Amino acid sequence: MVDFGDDLRITYVMGGLAREFDDPSAMIVPWLDAADESGMPVDPRLWAEAPLSSSYPACMAVKAAAEQGVEAEARYLRALREGIFCFRRKLDTVEALVEAARGVGLDAARFRSSLESNAIVEAFGADLEETRSLGVTLPHLDFPEPPPGAAVELSPFDAVALFGRTASIEVATVCGLALPVVEAELWRLATEFRVRPVRVLTGVLWEPA
């Protein structure tokens, strides 16, 4: 998004990780391993306290959000990721998913209507068919290598202002800076009340103050 700007078009395809989670507690260690490898904060206590029954409702909810535009879809997907992975929210029921849509500024009534429609079931089914026909391991990124635009330099403050709630490793990546440098700068900005840390079990997210 930073390097390619308006030349980059993102299409989200929902792969449906699990129709049903048979052993939720088995998710805790893989989540912690993923957090350790990626540097992204996570709170896997969800799987011991109020585990998701399935990933399918959230996948269909993203397809429903897409009915309100690409930007709405991206905001909603991010909200689900943060809610489930960081804030232990059981986002697998219609009411919880509608409330998440309302929280990111979507038209909640329209979202509910879309979520409960046959069209969304069919759209999600098409996504499942696409991912399974490709035989990909999720998550998967298919990048067609468009030519990059003009180089854009962002400061850590710029990155948080642009993307909203963001992890330290994400800020470091888009700014092209070492993680310790970024974390030191973000904490300095926090002392000036320009950004605000949001604690997650294994780390911190940053949001505009």
Side-chain angles (χ1 to χ4, degrees), residues 77-129:
L77 177 57
R78 178 70 184 204
L80 292 190
R81 287 171 168 169
E82 290 181 2
I84 293 170
F85 287 95
C86 298
F87 303 126
R88 311 200 317 266
R89 293 177 184 154
K90 184 177 168 58
L91 298 174
D92 61 353
T93 65
V94 170
E95 294 306 321
L97 293 165
V98 170
E99 186 59 32
R102 184 179 291 109
V104 293
L106 273 64
D107 181 326
R110 179 182 173 190
F111 174 86
R112 182 190 295 274
S113 178
S114 296
L115 182 59
E116 296 176 342
S117 70
N118 290 332
I120 292 303
V121 175
E122 293 173 1
F124 175 48
D127 278 9
L128 287 177
E129 184 176 340

mmCIF file of all heavy atoms in Angstrom, residues 77-129:
data_model
loop_
_atom_site.group_PDB
_atom_site.id
_atom_site.type_symbol
_atom_site.label_atom_id
_atom_site.label_comp_id
_atom_site.label_asym_id
_atom_site.label_seq_id
_atom_site.Cartn_x
_atom_site.Cartn_y
_atom_site.Cartn_z
ATOM 1 N N LEU A 77 -12.129 -6.357 7.937
ATOM 2 C CA LEU A 77 -11.223 -7.497 8.092
ATOM 3 C C LEU A 77 -10.199 -7.214 9.187
ATOM 4 O O LEU A 77 -9.903 -8.075 10.019
ATOM 5 C CB LEU A 77 -10.525 -7.807 6.765
ATOM 6 C CG LEU A 77 -9.488 -8.927 6.790
ATOM 7 C CD1 LEU A 77 -10.089 -10.232 7.287
ATOM 8 C CD2 LEU A 77 -8.874 -9.110 5.402
ATOM 9 N N ARG A 78 -9.659 -6.001 9.200
ATOM 10 C CA ARG A 78 -8.696 -5.635 10.236
ATOM 11 C C ARG A 78 -9.357 -5.699 11.614
ATOM 12 O O ARG A 78 -8.759 -6.189 12.584
ATOM 13 C CB ARG A 78 -8.148 -4.230 9.973
ATOM 14 C CG ARG A 78 -7.159 -3.742 11.041
ATOM 15 C CD ARG A 78 -5.853 -4.502 10.972
ATOM 16 N NE ARG A 78 -4.944 -4.099 12.040
ATOM 17 C CZ ARG A 78 -3.632 -4.225 11.975
ATOM 18 N NH1 ARG A 78 -3.060 -4.755 10.902
ATOM 19 N NH2 ARG A 78 -2.870 -3.851 12.976
ATOM 20 N N ALA A 79 -10.587 -5.211 11.713
ATOM 21 C CA ALA A 79 -11.293 -5.237 12.995
ATOM 22 C C ALA A 79 -11.498 -6.669 13.487
ATOM 23 O O ALA A 79 -11.367 -6.950 14.687
ATOM 24 C CB ALA A 79 -12.636 -4.522 12.873
ATOM 25 N N LEU A 80 -11.821 -7.584 12.579
ATOM 26 C CA LEU A 80 -11.983 -8.985 12.973
ATOM 27 C C LEU A 80 -10.660 -9.579 13.421
ATOM 28 O O LEU A 80 -10.599 -10.307 14.425
ATOM 29 C CB LEU A 80 -12.547 -9.808 11.814
ATOM 30 C CG LEU A 80 -13.984 -9.534 11.378
ATOM 31 C CD1 LEU A 80 -14.433 -10.610 10.387
ATOM 32 C CD2 LEU A 80 -14.937 -9.472 12.556
ATOM 33 N N ARG A 81 -9.605 -9.278 12.693
ATOM 34 C CA ARG A 81 -8.289 -9.808 13.066
ATOM 35 C C ARG A 81 -7.895 -9.324 14.457
ATOM 36 O O ARG A 81 -7.439 -10.117 15.294
ATOM 37 C CB ARG A 81 -7.246 -9.383 12.033
ATOM 38 C CG ARG A 81 -7.360 -10.112 10.708
ATOM 39 C CD ARG A 81 -6.459 -9.495 9.661
ATOM 40 N NE ARG A 81 -6.356 -10.341 8.478
ATOM 41 C CZ ARG A 81 -5.808 -9.939 7.334
ATOM 42 N NH1 ARG A 81 -5.337 -8.705 7.221
ATOM 43 N NH2 ARG A 81 -5.748 -10.769 6.304
ATOM 44 N N GLU A 82 -8.039 -8.028 14.703
ATOM 45 C CA GLU A 82 -7.687 -7.491 16.010
ATOM 46 C C GLU A 82 -8.613 -8.057 17.090
ATOM 47 O O GLU A 82 -8.150 -8.437 18.179
ATOM 48 C CB GLU A 82 -7.770 -5.968 15.991
ATOM 49 C CG GLU A 82 -6.689 -5.304 15.165
ATOM 50 C CD GLU A 82 -6.789 -3.791 15.198
ATOM 51 O OE1 GLU A 82 -7.684 -3.268 15.894
ATOM 52 O OE2 GLU A 82 -5.957 -3.138 14.546
ATOM 53 N N GLY A 83 -9.900 -8.101 16.804
ATOM 54 C CA GLY A 83 -10.849 -8.576 17.799
ATOM 55 C C GLY A 83 -10.588 -10.007 18.217
ATOM 56 O O GLY A 83 -10.590 -10.331 19.415
ATOM 57 N N ILE A 84 -10.342 -10.871 17.246
ATOM 58 C CA ILE A 84 -10.135 -12.293 17.539
ATOM 59 C C ILE A 84 -8.737 -12.550 18.071
ATOM 60 O O ILE A 84 -8.556 -13.187 19.113
ATOM 61 C CB ILE A 84 -10.402 -13.144 16.284
ATOM 62 C CG1 ILE A 84 -11.889 -13.072 15.906
ATOM 63 C CG2 ILE A 84 -9.991 -14.598 16.518
ATOM 64 C CD1 ILE A 84 -12.216 -13.678 14.546
ATOM 65 N N PHE A 85 -7.720 -12.063 17.384
ATOM 66 C CA PHE A 85 -6.347 -12.412 17.727
ATOM 67 C C PHE A 85 -5.802 -11.637 18.924
ATOM 68 O O PHE A 85 -4.947 -12.145 19.647
ATOM 69 C CB PHE A 85 -5.428 -12.180 16.524
ATOM 70 C CG PHE A 85 -5.585 -13.196 15.436
ATOM 71 C CD1 PHE A 85 -6.418 -12.959 14.362
ATOM 72 C CD2 PHE A 85 -4.911 -14.406 15.486
ATOM 73 C CE1 PHE A 85 -6.575 -13.892 13.356
ATOM 74 C CE2 PHE A 85 -5.058 -15.353 14.490
ATOM 75 C CZ PHE A 85 -5.896 -15.097 13.419
ATOM 76 N N CYS A 86 -6.267 -10.395 19.120
ATOM 77 C CA CYS A 86 -5.674 -9.550 20.162
ATOM 78 C C CYS A 86 -6.573 -9.316 21.365
ATOM 79 O O CYS A 86 -6.084 -9.187 22.481
ATOM 80 C CB CYS A 86 -5.284 -8.191 19.569
ATOM 81 S SG CYS A 86 -4.038 -8.284 18.274
ATOM 82 N N PHE A 87 -7.888 -9.227 21.138
ATOM 83 C CA PHE A 87 -8.786 -8.796 22.205
ATOM 84 C C PHE A 87 -9.771 -9.860 22.662
ATOM 85 O O PHE A 87 -10.726 -9.571 23.373
ATOM 86 C CB PHE A 87 -9.526 -7.524 21.772
ATOM 87 C CG PHE A 87 -8.590 -6.407 21.401
ATOM 88 C CD1 PHE A 87 -8.694 -5.773 20.166
ATOM 89 C CD2 PHE A 87 -7.580 -6.005 22.260
ATOM 90 C CE1 PHE A 87 -7.831 -4.754 19.812
ATOM 91 C CE2 PHE A 87 -6.703 -4.990 21.922
ATOM 92 C CZ PHE A 87 -6.826 -4.352 20.695
ATOM 93 N N ARG A 88 -9.546 -11.106 22.232
ATOM 94 C CA ARG A 88 -10.305 -12.261 22.728
ATOM 95 C C ARG A 88 -11.806 -12.097 22.542
ATOM 96 O O ARG A 88 -12.607 -12.427 23.418
ATOM 97 C CB ARG A 88 -9.988 -12.534 24.202
ATOM 98 C CG ARG A 88 -8.521 -12.568 24.517
ATOM 99 C CD ARG A 88 -8.138 -13.283 25.798
ATOM 100 N NE ARG A 88 -8.936 -13.040 26.950
ATOM 101 C CZ ARG A 88 -8.653 -12.110 27.881
ATOM 102 N NH1 ARG A 88 -7.630 -11.310 27.721
ATOM 103 N NH2 ARG A 88 -9.406 -12.000 28.948
ATOM 104 N N ARG A 89 -12.209 -11.608 21.382
ATOM 105 C CA ARG A 89 -13.624 -11.430 21.102
ATOM 106 C C ARG A 89 -14.157 -12.621 20.309
ATOM 107 O O ARG A 89 -13.588 -13.008 19.296
ATOM 108 C CB ARG A 89 -13.855 -10.131 20.333
ATOM 109 C CG ARG A 89 -13.536 -8.910 21.180
ATOM 110 C CD ARG A 89 -13.679 -7.623 20.424
ATOM 111 N NE ARG A 89 -13.282 -6.490 21.245
ATOM 112 C CZ ARG A 89 -12.825 -5.338 20.775
ATOM 113 N NH1 ARG A 89 -12.720 -5.157 19.464
ATOM 114 N NH2 ARG A 89 -12.478 -4.368 21.593
ATOM 115 N N LYS A 90 -15.242 -13.161 20.769
ATOM 116 C CA LYS A 90 -15.845 -14.344 20.133
ATOM 117 C C LYS A 90 -16.705 -13.876 18.954
ATOM 118 O O LYS A 90 -17.927 -13.732 19.065
ATOM 119 C CB LYS A 90 -16.665 -15.117 21.158
ATOM 120 C CG LYS A 90 -17.259 -16.416 20.641
ATOM 121 C CD LYS A 90 -17.977 -17.139 21.765
ATOM 122 C CE LYS A 90 -18.825 -18.295 21.245
ATOM 123 N NZ LYS A 90 -18.056 -19.290 20.485
ATOM 124 N N LEU A 91 -16.064 -13.651 17.833
ATOM 125 C CA LEU A 91 -16.734 -13.097 16.662
ATOM 126 C C LEU A 91 -17.156 -14.217 15.717
ATOM 127 O O LEU A 91 -16.582 -14.412 14.639
ATOM 128 C CB LEU A 91 -15.806 -12.094 15.960
ATOM 129 C CG LEU A 91 -15.420 -10.873 16.813
ATOM 130 C CD1 LEU A 91 -14.380 -10.018 16.102
ATOM 131 C CD2 LEU A 91 -16.648 -10.050 17.144
ATOM 132 N N ASP A 92 -18.180 -14.947 16.132
ATOM 133 C CA ASP A 92 -18.669 -16.041 15.287
ATOM 134 C C ASP A 92 -20.194 -16.134 15.310
ATOM 135 O O ASP A 92 -20.763 -17.154 14.916
ATOM 136 C CB ASP A 92 -18.049 -17.378 15.705
ATOM 137 C CG ASP A 92 -18.386 -17.773 17.137
ATOM 138 O OD1 ASP A 92 -19.001 -16.945 17.855
ATOM 139 O OD2 ASP A 92 -18.037 -18.897 17.559
ATOM 140 N N THR A 93 -20.865 -15.063 15.770
ATOM 141 C CA THR A 93 -22.326 -15.017 15.745
ATOM 142 C C THR A 93 -22.761 -13.778 14.976
ATOM 143 O O THR A 93 -22.001 -12.811 14.842
ATOM 144 C CB THR A 93 -22.911 -14.951 17.166
ATOM 145 O OG1 THR A 93 -22.521 -13.705 17.782
ATOM 146 C CG2 THR A 93 -22.421 -16.116 18.017
ATOM 147 N N VAL A 94 -23.981 -13.806 14.501
ATOM 148 C CA VAL A 94 -24.490 -12.675 13.710
ATOM 149 C C VAL A 94 -24.425 -11.381 14.510
ATOM 150 O O VAL A 94 -23.953 -10.353 14.020
ATOM 151 C CB VAL A 94 -25.935 -12.949 13.242
ATOM 152 C CG1 VAL A 94 -26.543 -11.682 12.644
ATOM 153 C CG2 VAL A 94 -25.962 -14.081 12.224
ATOM 154 N N GLU A 95 -24.888 -11.413 15.748
ATOM 155 C CA GLU A 95 -24.933 -10.184 16.539
ATOM 156 C C GLU A 95 -23.539 -9.621 16.786
ATOM 157 O O GLU A 95 -23.323 -8.407 16.703
ATOM 158 C CB GLU A 95 -25.668 -10.422 17.866
ATOM 159 C CG GLU A 95 -27.134 -10.744 17.703
ATOM 160 C CD GLU A 95 -27.870 -9.695 16.874
ATOM 161 O OE1 GLU A 95 -27.583 -8.492 17.035
ATOM 162 O OE2 GLU A 95 -28.727 -10.088 16.056
ATOM 163 N N ALA A 96 -22.597 -10.475 17.118
ATOM 164 C CA ALA A 96 -21.229 -10.010 17.362
ATOM 165 C C ALA A 96 -20.604 -9.444 16.093
ATOM 166 O O ALA A 96 -19.897 -8.426 16.127
ATOM 167 C CB ALA A 96 -20.377 -11.163 17.901
ATOM 168 N N LEU A 97 -20.877 -10.069 14.969
ATOM 169 C CA LEU A 97 -20.315 -9.617 13.694
ATOM 170 C C LEU A 97 -20.960 -8.305 13.245
ATOM 171 O O LEU A 97 -20.280 -7.434 12.691
ATOM 172 C CB LEU A 97 -20.492 -10.705 12.643
ATOM 173 C CG LEU A 97 -19.672 -11.974 12.900
ATOM 174 C CD1 LEU A 97 -20.169 -13.127 12.029
ATOM 175 C CD2 LEU A 97 -18.190 -11.734 12.659
ATOM 176 N N VAL A 98 -22.248 -8.150 13.506
ATOM 177 C CA VAL A 98 -22.923 -6.888 13.174
ATOM 178 C C VAL A 98 -22.376 -5.762 14.043
ATOM 179 O O VAL A 98 -22.136 -4.648 13.575
ATOM 180 C CB VAL A 98 -24.444 -7.018 13.347
ATOM 181 C CG1 VAL A 98 -25.121 -5.651 13.253
ATOM 182 C CG2 VAL A 98 -25.025 -7.967 12.299
ATOM 183 N N GLU A 99 -22.159 -6.034 15.322
ATOM 184 C CA GLU A 99 -21.622 -5.014 16.219
ATOM 185 C C GLU A 99 -20.220 -4.593 15.780
ATOM 186 O O GLU A 99 -19.868 -3.410 15.849
ATOM 187 C CB GLU A 99 -21.579 -5.545 17.652
ATOM 188 C CG GLU A 99 -21.171 -4.523 18.680
ATOM 189 C CD GLU A 99 -22.085 -3.315 18.711
ATOM 190 O OE1 GLU A 99 -23.297 -3.457 18.441
ATOM 191 O OE2 GLU A 99 -21.588 -2.202 18.992
ATOM 192 N N ALA A 100 -19.427 -5.540 15.314
ATOM 193 C CA ALA A 100 -18.092 -5.203 14.806
ATOM 194 C C ALA A 100 -18.187 -4.320 13.566
ATOM 195 O O ALA A 100 -17.384 -3.400 13.377
ATOM 196 C CB ALA A 100 -17.318 -6.481 14.486
ATOM 197 N N ALA A 101 -19.180 -4.588 12.727
ATOM 198 C CA ALA A 101 -19.394 -3.761 11.532
ATOM 199 C C ALA A 101 -19.776 -2.338 11.929
ATOM 200 O O ALA A 101 -19.269 -1.362 11.364
ATOM 201 C CB ALA A 101 -20.471 -4.375 10.654
ATOM 202 N N ARG A 102 -20.645 -2.223 12.899
ATOM 203 C CA ARG A 102 -21.057 -0.900 13.386
ATOM 204 C C ARG A 102 -19.842 -0.149 13.942
ATOM 205 O O ARG A 102 -19.710 1.066 13.765
ATOM 206 C CB ARG A 102 -22.136 -1.056 14.453
ATOM 207 C CG ARG A 102 -22.697 0.259 14.957
ATOM 208 C CD ARG A 102 -23.791 0.046 15.989
ATOM 209 N NE ARG A 102 -25.002 -0.523 15.387
ATOM 210 C CZ ARG A 102 -25.431 -1.762 15.571
ATOM 211 N NH1 ARG A 102 -24.745 -2.580 16.359
ATOM 212 N NH2 ARG A 102 -26.528 -2.199 14.989
ATOM 213 N N GLY A 103 -18.960 -0.882 14.611
ATOM 214 C CA GLY A 103 -17.794 -0.264 15.238
ATOM 215 C C GLY A 103 -16.806 0.339 14.269
ATOM 216 O O GLY A 103 -16.023 1.226 14.650
ATOM 217 N N VAL A 104 -16.809 -0.111 13.020
ATOM 218 C CA VAL A 104 -15.883 0.464 12.032
ATOM 219 C C VAL A 104 -16.612 1.332 11.015
ATOM 220 O O VAL A 104 -16.087 1.635 9.947
ATOM 221 C CB VAL A 104 -15.068 -0.633 11.305
ATOM 222 C CG1 VAL A 104 -14.123 -1.315 12.271
ATOM 223 C CG2 VAL A 104 -15.978 -1.647 10.627
ATOM 224 N N GLY A 105 -17.833 1.727 11.364
ATOM 225 C CA GLY A 105 -18.540 2.707 10.554
ATOM 226 C C GLY A 105 -19.312 2.168 9.374
ATOM 227 O O GLY A 105 -19.708 2.942 8.491
ATOM 228 N N LEU A 106 -19.575 0.861 9.324
ATOM 229 C CA LEU A 106 -20.389 0.316 8.247
ATOM 230 C C LEU A 106 -21.867 0.550 8.541
ATOM 231 O O LEU A 106 -22.261 0.777 9.685
ATOM 232 C CB LEU A 106 -20.120 -1.180 8.070
ATOM 233 C CG LEU A 106 -18.962 -1.583 7.157
ATOM 234 C CD1 LEU A 106 -17.630 -1.098 7.714
ATOM 235 C CD2 LEU A 106 -18.926 -3.098 6.962
ATOM 236 N N ASP A 107 -22.661 0.504 7.502
ATOM 237 C CA ASP A 107 -24.114 0.563 7.652
ATOM 238 C C ASP A 107 -24.548 -0.788 8.225
ATOM 239 O O ASP A 107 -24.565 -1.803 7.516
ATOM 240 C CB ASP A 107 -24.760 0.814 6.279
ATOM 241 C CG ASP A 107 -26.269 0.922 6.340
ATOM 242 O OD1 ASP A 107 -26.893 0.226 7.167
ATOM 243 O OD2 ASP A 107 -26.835 1.686 5.535
ATOM 244 N N ALA A 108 -24.871 -0.802 9.516
ATOM 245 C CA ALA A 108 -25.130 -2.066 10.208
ATOM 246 C C ALA A 108 -26.342 -2.798 9.650
ATOM 247 O O ALA A 108 -26.334 -4.030 9.527
ATOM 248 C CB ALA A 108 -25.293 -1.818 11.703
ATOM 249 N N ALA A 109 -27.410 -2.064 9.316
ATOM 250 C CA ALA A 109 -28.613 -2.711 8.789
ATOM 251 C C ALA A 109 -28.328 -3.353 7.435
ATOM 252 O O ALA A 109 -28.756 -4.486 7.161
ATOM 253 C CB ALA A 109 -29.740 -1.689 8.669
ATOM 254 N N ARG A 110 -27.616 -2.632 6.590
ATOM 255 C CA ARG A 110 -27.268 -3.179 5.278
ATOM 256 C C ARG A 110 -26.341 -4.379 5.429
ATOM 257 O O ARG A 110 -26.479 -5.382 4.733
ATOM 258 C CB ARG A 110 -26.604 -2.096 4.427
ATOM 259 C CG ARG A 110 -26.181 -2.573 3.045
ATOM 260 C CD ARG A 110 -25.481 -1.465 2.270
ATOM 261 N NE ARG A 110 -24.936 -1.960 1.018
ATOM 262 C CZ ARG A 110 -24.118 -1.267 0.238
ATOM 263 N NH1 ARG A 110 -23.764 -0.035 0.584
ATOM 264 N NH2 ARG A 110 -23.656 -1.794 -0.886
ATOM 265 N N PHE A 111 -25.394 -4.275 6.376
ATOM 266 C CA PHE A 111 -24.471 -5.382 6.615
ATOM 267 C C PHE A 111 -25.224 -6.629 7.058
ATOM 268 O O PHE A 111 -24.969 -7.728 6.565
ATOM 269 C CB PHE A 111 -23.442 -4.970 7.671
ATOM 270 C CG PHE A 111 -22.536 -6.087 8.103
ATOM 271 C CD1 PHE A 111 -21.386 -6.373 7.387
ATOM 272 C CD2 PHE A 111 -22.837 -6.852 9.222
ATOM 273 C CE1 PHE A 111 -20.552 -7.413 7.781
ATOM 274 C CE2 PHE A 111 -22.012 -7.891 9.623
ATOM 275 C CZ PHE A 111 -20.870 -8.163 8.900
ATOM 276 N N ARG A 112 -26.144 -6.471 8.000
ATOM 277 C CA ARG A 112 -26.913 -7.618 8.473
ATOM 278 C C ARG A 112 -27.688 -8.266 7.330
ATOM 279 O O ARG A 112 -27.731 -9.499 7.203
ATOM 280 C CB ARG A 112 -27.878 -7.183 9.577
ATOM 281 C CG ARG A 112 -28.695 -8.334 10.159
ATOM 282 C CD ARG A 112 -29.795 -7.814 11.070
ATOM 283 N NE ARG A 112 -29.277 -7.165 12.248
ATOM 284 C CZ ARG A 112 -28.957 -7.814 13.373
ATOM 285 N NH1 ARG A 112 -29.122 -9.118 13.445
ATOM 286 N NH2 ARG A 112 -28.495 -7.150 14.411
ATOM 287 N N SER A 113 -28.314 -7.440 6.490
ATOM 288 C CA SER A 113 -29.078 -7.964 5.366
ATOM 289 C C SER A 113 -28.184 -8.754 4.424
ATOM 290 O O SER A 113 -28.557 -9.836 3.952
ATOM 291 C CB SER A 113 -29.750 -6.806 4.617
ATOM 292 O OG SER A 113 -30.455 -7.276 3.494
ATOM 293 N N SER A 114 -26.985 -8.215 4.165
ATOM 294 C CA SER A 114 -26.041 -8.927 3.287
ATOM 295 C C SER A 114 -25.594 -10.235 3.911
ATOM 296 O O SER A 114 -25.558 -11.283 3.252
ATOM 297 C CB SER A 114 -24.827 -8.040 3.012
ATOM 298 O OG SER A 114 -25.174 -6.878 2.292
ATOM 299 N N LEU A 115 -25.248 -10.175 5.204
ATOM 300 C CA LEU A 115 -24.717 -11.355 5.893
ATOM 301 C C LEU A 115 -25.715 -12.508 5.881
ATOM 302 O O LEU A 115 -25.321 -13.678 5.807
ATOM 303 C CB LEU A 115 -24.344 -10.982 7.329
ATOM 304 C CG LEU A 115 -23.733 -12.068 8.203
ATOM 305 C CD1 LEU A 115 -22.448 -12.599 7.582
ATOM 306 C CD2 LEU A 115 -23.467 -11.535 9.610
ATOM 307 N N GLU A 116 -26.998 -12.196 5.947
ATOM 308 C CA GLU A 116 -28.025 -13.234 6.011
ATOM 309 C C GLU A 116 -28.561 -13.642 4.635
ATOM 310 O O GLU A 116 -29.506 -14.423 4.540
ATOM 311 C CB GLU A 116 -29.164 -12.748 6.906
ATOM 312 C CG GLU A 116 -28.729 -12.540 8.360
ATOM 313 C CD GLU A 116 -29.815 -11.957 9.240
ATOM 314 O OE1 GLU A 116 -30.785 -11.402 8.679
ATOM 315 O OE2 GLU A 116 -29.704 -12.059 10.476
ATOM 316 N N SER A 117 -27.927 -13.126 3.569
ATOM 317 C CA SER A 117 -28.418 -13.412 2.216
ATOM 318 C C SER A 117 -27.749 -14.646 1.619
ATOM 319 O O SER A 117 -26.635 -15.016 1.983
ATOM 320 C CB SER A 117 -28.155 -12.212 1.304
ATOM 321 O OG SER A 117 -26.765 -12.066 1.047
ATOM 322 N N ASN A 118 -28.438 -15.259 0.679
ATOM 323 C CA ASN A 118 -27.872 -16.402 -0.044
ATOM 324 C C ASN A 118 -26.687 -15.985 -0.905
ATOM 325 O O ASN A 118 -25.783 -16.789 -1.148
ATOM 326 C CB ASN A 118 -28.945 -17.049 -0.921
ATOM 327 C CG ASN A 118 -29.998 -17.767 -0.108
ATOM 328 O OD1 ASN A 118 -29.745 -18.240 0.998
ATOM 329 N ND2 ASN A 118 -31.209 -17.849 -0.655
ATOM 330 N N ALA A 119 -26.685 -14.726 -1.362
ATOM 331 C CA ALA A 119 -25.604 -14.251 -2.219
ATOM 332 C C ALA A 119 -24.260 -14.327 -1.504
ATOM 333 O O ALA A 119 -23.227 -14.656 -2.117
ATOM 334 C CB ALA A 119 -25.881 -12.818 -2.673
ATOM 335 N N ILE A 120 -24.240 -14.032 -0.205
ATOM 336 C CA ILE A 120 -22.990 -14.076 0.550
ATOM 337 C C ILE A 120 -22.537 -15.512 0.748
ATOM 338 O O ILE A 120 -21.339 -15.815 0.673
ATOM 339 C CB ILE A 120 -23.157 -13.350 1.900
ATOM 340 C CG1 ILE A 120 -23.352 -11.855 1.665
ATOM 341 C CG2 ILE A 120 -21.953 -13.591 2.796
ATOM 342 C CD1 ILE A 120 -22.241 -11.171 0.873
ATOM 343 N N VAL A 121 -23.473 -16.403 0.984
ATOM 344 C CA VAL A 121 -23.121 -17.830 1.088
ATOM 345 C C VAL A 121 -22.484 -18.296 -0.209
ATOM 346 O O VAL A 121 -21.463 -19.008 -0.210
ATOM 347 C CB VAL A 121 -24.363 -18.673 1.417
ATOM 348 C CG1 VAL A 121 -24.016 -20.161 1.398
ATOM 349 C CG2 VAL A 121 -24.945 -18.271 2.771
ATOM 350 N N GLU A 122 -23.056 -17.886 -1.327
ATOM 351 C CA GLU A 122 -22.514 -18.275 -2.635
ATOM 352 C C GLU A 122 -21.147 -17.638 -2.879
ATOM 353 O O GLU A 122 -20.242 -18.282 -3.425
ATOM 354 C CB GLU A 122 -23.495 -17.875 -3.732
ATOM 355 C CG GLU A 122 -24.805 -18.661 -3.692
ATOM 356 C CD GLU A 122 -25.835 -18.128 -4.672
ATOM 357 O OE1 GLU A 122 -25.512 -17.150 -5.389
ATOM 358 O OE2 GLU A 122 -26.956 -18.677 -4.720
ATOM 359 N N ALA A 123 -20.984 -16.372 -2.477
ATOM 360 C CA ALA A 123 -19.700 -15.694 -2.668
ATOM 361 C C ALA A 123 -18.612 -16.372 -1.848
ATOM 362 O O ALA A 123 -17.487 -16.561 -2.328
ATOM 363 C CB ALA A 123 -19.822 -14.221 -2.280
ATOM 364 N N PHE A 124 -18.936 -16.739 -0.615
ATOM 365 C CA PHE A 124 -17.961 -17.437 0.217
ATOM 366 C C PHE A 124 -17.659 -18.816 -0.354
ATOM 367 O O PHE A 124 -16.511 -19.271 -0.366
ATOM 368 C CB PHE A 124 -18.483 -17.543 1.649
ATOM 369 C CG PHE A 124 -17.598 -18.342 2.560
ATOM 370 C CD1 PHE A 124 -16.230 -18.119 2.611
ATOM 371 C CD2 PHE A 124 -18.138 -19.316 3.388
ATOM 372 C CE1 PHE A 124 -15.410 -18.858 3.465
ATOM 373 C CE2 PHE A 124 -17.339 -20.054 4.236
ATOM 374 C CZ PHE A 124 -15.967 -19.824 4.277
ATOM 375 N N GLY A 125 -18.686 -19.484 -0.857
ATOM 376 C CA GLY A 125 -18.472 -20.785 -1.483
ATOM 377 C C GLY A 125 -17.520 -20.690 -2.666
ATOM 378 O O GLY A 125 -16.676 -21.570 -2.872
ATOM 379 N N ALA A 126 -17.628 -19.617 -3.458
ATOM 380 C CA ALA A 126 -16.730 -19.421 -4.590
ATOM 381 C C ALA A 126 -15.299 -19.211 -4.117
ATOM 382 O O ALA A 126 -14.346 -19.702 -4.734
ATOM 383 C CB ALA A 126 -17.198 -18.227 -5.424
ATOM 384 N N ASP A 127 -15.147 -18.480 -3.003
ATOM 385 C CA ASP A 127 -13.808 -18.278 -2.439
ATOM 386 C C ASP A 127 -13.214 -19.608 -1.975
ATOM 387 O O ASP A 127 -12.033 -19.895 -2.209
ATOM 388 C CB ASP A 127 -13.868 -17.312 -1.258
ATOM 389 C CG ASP A 127 -13.881 -15.863 -1.689
ATOM 390 O OD1 ASP A 127 -14.007 -15.599 -2.902
ATOM 391 O OD2 ASP A 127 -13.752 -14.977 -0.814
ATOM 392 N N LEU A 128 -14.009 -20.420 -1.307
ATOM 393 C CA LEU A 128 -13.537 -21.728 -0.857
ATOM 394 C C LEU A 128 -13.088 -22.575 -2.039
ATOM 395 O O LEU A 128 -12.026 -23.225 -1.996
ATOM 396 C CB LEU A 128 -14.641 -22.454 -0.093
ATOM 397 C CG LEU A 128 -14.984 -21.974 1.315
ATOM 398 C CD1 LEU A 128 -16.145 -22.788 1.866
ATOM 399 C CD2 LEU A 128 -13.784 -22.072 2.232
ATOM 400 N N GLU A 129 -13.884 -22.556 -3.083
ATOM 401 C CA GLU A 129 -13.550 -23.347 -4.271
ATOM 402 C C GLU A 129 -12.250 -22.857 -4.895
ATOM 403 O O GLU A 129 -11.403 -23.663 -5.312
ATOM 404 C CB GLU A 129 -14.684 -23.254 -5.289
ATOM 405 C CG GLU A 129 -14.478 -24.119 -6.513
ATOM 406 C CD GLU A 129 -15.671 -24.087 -7.452
ATOM 407 O OE1 GLU A 129 -16.776 -23.718 -7.011
ATOM 408 O OE2 GLU A 129 -15.486 -24.426 -8.630
#
